[in-house]
Amino acid sequence: MNIEDNIRQFQKRLANTSCKLVAVSKTQPIEALQQAYNAGQRIFGENKAQEMAQKAASLPPDIEWHMLGHLQTNKVKYIAPFVHTIQSVDSLRLLEEIDKQAGKNNRFINCLLQIYIAQEETKFGLSVEEARELLATETLQDFRNIVITGVMGIATNTSSETQIQQEFKFLKNIFINFKKTYFSESSEFKEISMGMSSDYQLAIVEGSTMIRVGSSIFGARN
Ligand SMILES: *Cc1c(COP(=O)(O)O)cnc(C)c1O
């Protein structure tokens, strides 16, 4: 695996699209991230707060860090000083804590609502109903230091392209619906984060604005 070559290939693939690449670097050593950085990659995704904080401390400051994994409220403080986007928001309580910690650091944190789109039991996320309930909560207006910038979803791990395609279409429709209902005045609600190594091509066709790719860039994780 030549990480720099892989990054350049993704840059080419995405050149004429409005889709961005999140390089998913969880479990990878600093040197691997540095190689991706050297090839021009600036958005990195991690799934553990402390691992992200350690890596951020030893890499250049112009990296956009995205949290992708389920985040416990007591871990938000580790990443609040620098994290760009938390893609895995799955409760109002977490959103409250992100707002509080972002406020303490005098900054804004972008948040994506993670929506449950897969037909698998183990995935975290909000059902559409739960997401609607969250977005209709009155206290949401009081948050000062978060910006809800879109939705994120993980498709079922299956060889059925039809199923994956349906799940991506579902997420796109949820985005359109939420945009109309809750964010018609907000130009910042614009991200649909979907697509990983195995299904990013389908995701791009279905309107992804952010693909999250790990193993196709860095190789298999241990
Ligand atoms: C690990 C992970 C990815 C990347 O998975 P690959 O199959 O290695 O591309 C993408 N999104 C989330 C939420 C992840 O946890």
Side-chain angles (χ1 to χ4, degrees):
M1 275 274 169
N2 184 321
I3 294 168
E4 296 189 35
D5 285 350
N6 293 342
I7 291 291
R8 290 200 189 94
Q9 288 201 354
F10 273 100
Q11 286 166 348
K12 269 190 218 145
R13 278 187 201 115
L14 297 177
N16 296 314
T17 73
S18 49
C19 186
K20 292 178 288 247
L21 172 68
V22 179
V24 181
S25 48
K26 59 192 185 196
T27 77
Q28 303 295 342
I30 294 284
E31 302 76 59
L33 283 78
Q34 185 67 54
Q35 283 173 36
Y37 182 91
N38 293 346
Q41 183 61 27
R42 292 294 179 274
I43 311 178
F44 289 86
E46 292 280 335
N47 68 343
K48 296 209 170 89
Q50 278 125 315
E51 184 179 342
M52 179 190 273
Q54 275 171 7
K55 285 173 173 171
S58 47
L59 283 161
D62 62 338
I63 290 176
E64 251 186 42
W65 292 96
H66 287 224
M67 173 52 66
L68 307 176
H70 179 67
L71 184 60
Q72 289 171 294
T73 48
N74 62 353
K75 302 276 173 71
V76 176
K77 58 178 182 284
Y78 297 119
I79 59 174
F82 66 90
V83 70
H84 181 276
T85 299
I86 297 176
Q87 296 205 6
S88 44
V89 172
D90 57 3
S91 72
L92 185 63
R93 208 166 81 82
L94 178 58
L95 214 48
E96 273 166 8
E97 179 65 13
I98 297 169
D99 185 60
K100 183 175 140 196
Q101 295 296 336
K104 275 192 187 169
N105 287 279
N106 230 325
R107 58 190 300 272
F108 293 97
I109 295 176
N110 293 341
C111 294
L112 303 185
L113 299 181
Q114 181 175 353
I115 310 290
Y116 186 90
I117 60 170
Q119 287 182 350
E120 284 169 3
E121 295 271 315
T122 55
K123 299 274 156 74
F124 290 104
L126 297 156
S127 69
V128 180
E129 264 323 299
E130 289 167 336
R132 282 218 178 88
E133 216 171 284
L134 188 156
L135 290 170
T137 310
E138 272 182 40
T139 50
L140 215 56
Q141 311 304 322
D142 301 335
F143 293 160
R144 289 288 168 266
N145 295 84
I146 54 153
V147 187
I148 299 179
T149 50
V151 294
M152 183 270 256
I154 305 171
T156 304
N157 183 8
T158 171
S159 57
S160 165
E161 289 201 355
T162 321
Q163 185 177 345
I164 294 170
Q165 210 166 26
Q166 274 170 3
E167 291 172 359
F168 288 156
K169 282 186 200 294
F170 178 61
L171 187 61
K172 170 96 192 251
N173 282 328
I174 292 167
F175 170 83
I176 292 170
N177 184 281
F178 285 2
K179 174 95 190 157
K180 203 164 56 185
T181 314
Y182 306 100
F183 296 98
S184 55
E185 308 284 299
S186 157
S187 58
E188 289 161 318
F189 189 82
K190 58 181 167 47
E191 306 291 359
I192 307 172
S193 171
M194 57 186 188
M196 320 190 351
S197 289
S198 57
D199 55 20
Y200 69 85
Q201 279 147 321
L202 284 173
I204 294 169
V205 173
E206 298 305 331
S208 174
T209 66
M210 234 180 234
I211 54 172
R212 311 177 306 267
V213 180
S215 43
S216 289
I217 294 170
F218 298 106
R221 287 178 293 274
N222 303 324

